[in-house]
């Protein structure tokens, strides 16, 4: 049997397995950022769990962007990515594409790990994009039992303003490590 995607495996994963997977994806994204690459399409179907040991593998760098490339390579107004998982700056909101875009994507991935659904899901593409730009996601605890500190971490990643998110994967990883070590 081959690898399966995280969205296919999600229901069968325990909380420790989900958080371990998230930590490994954070490390993979940090590795890409260190090399000047932003993924721009983080979602459960772009994480494969290796068949022999369920190790997560980050895939589909088709929308990845080198940070040292001109912003002019994509057309103005062009939306790239999966609507329910997009960061606001991917929908034309000022802020520029950078590491904070993937912090949002990791928050969207965490939201899916917590609730089984993307943070911004609308009835149509336009409604989904409007929600990404304007509507804060429902707190995960309204959809599933979620520890308050983990919910707070997730919602900080999903802030509409890039400046209000974790500044990079290292700070996100440190916050997740601290949360896991807390006696909660």
């Amino acid at each position: 049997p081959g690898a399966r995607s995280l969205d296919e495996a999600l229901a069968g994963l325990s909380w420790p397995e989900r958080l371990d997977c998230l930590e490994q994806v954070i490390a993979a994204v940090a590795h890409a950022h260190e090399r000047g690459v932003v993924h721009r399409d983080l979602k459960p179907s772009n994480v494969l769990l290796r068949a022999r040991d369920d190790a997560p593998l980050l895939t589909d760098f088709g929308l990845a962007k080198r940070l040292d490339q001109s912003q002019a390579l994509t057309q103005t107004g062009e939306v790239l990515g999966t609507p329910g998982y997009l960061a606001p700056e991917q929908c034309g909101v000022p802020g520029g594409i950078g590491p904070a875009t993937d912090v949002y994507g990791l928050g969207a991935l965490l939201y899916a790990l917590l609730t089984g659904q993307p943070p911004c899901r609308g009835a149509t593409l336009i409604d989904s994009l409007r929600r990404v730009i304007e509507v804060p996601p429902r707190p995960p605890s309204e959809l599933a039992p979620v520890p308050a500190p983990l919910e707070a971490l997730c919602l900080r990643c999903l802030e509409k303003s890039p400046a209000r998110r974790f500044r990079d994967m290292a700070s996100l990883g440190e916050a997740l490590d601290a949360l896991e070590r807390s006696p909660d």
Side-chain angles (χ1 to χ4, degrees):
R4 58 195 171 132
S5 68
L6 182 56
D7 57 348
E8 295 169 331
L10 189 56
L13 296 178
S14 68
W15 279 107
E17 290 170 325
R18 291 176 190 204
L19 293 179
D20 182 55
C21 179
L22 184 67
E23 287 175 334
Q24 292 182 56
V25 173
I26 289 170
V29 175
H31 183 79
H33 288 180
E34 289 166 7
R35 282 143 187 82
V37 175
V38 177
H39 190 280
R40 298 198 301 177
D41 197 21
L42 297 170
K43 59 186 178 183
S45 61
N46 283 344
V47 177
L48 296 181
L49 300 179
R50 193 166 46 200
R52 72 175 180 264
D53 59 4
D54 274 346
L57 306 169
L58 183 58
T59 66
D60 194 356
F61 280 79
L63 296 181
K65 178 177 182 12
R66 289 204 48 90
L67 291 172
D68 58 1
Q69 288 181 337
S70 166
Q71 295 284 343
L73 294 178
T74 54
Q75 296 176 346
T76 302
E78 185 176 13
V79 175
L80 298 173
T82 304
Y85 295 92
L86 289 172
E89 58 271 23
Q90 290 177 274
C91 300
V93 173
I97 303 299
T101 304
D102 282 346
V103 168
Y104 186 98
L106 256 294
L109 179 65
L110 175 57
Y111 194 96
L113 289 173
L114 297 172
T115 68
Q117 66 183 47
C120 297
R121 184 169 58 180
T124 65
L125 172 62
I126 298 299
D127 187 39
S128 291
L129 296 177
R130 182 188 64 75
R131 287 174 180 274
V132 167
I133 295 167
E134 299 173 358
V135 181
R138 285 178 66 187
S141 61
E142 291 182 10
L143 302 169
V146 175
L150 191 55
E151 178 174 77
L153 182 137
C154 178
L155 292 175
R156 180 170 172 196
C157 291
L158 295 173
E159 286 284 348
K160 300 299 181 190
S161 168
R164 294 182 55 117
R165 299 177 202 147
F166 292 97
R167 72 181 174 281
D168 54 28
M169 290 298 129
S171 59
L172 173 55
E174 289 168 9
L176 184 60
D177 285 344
L179 185 134
E180 290 177 335
R181 286 191 308 270
S182 70
D184 227 349

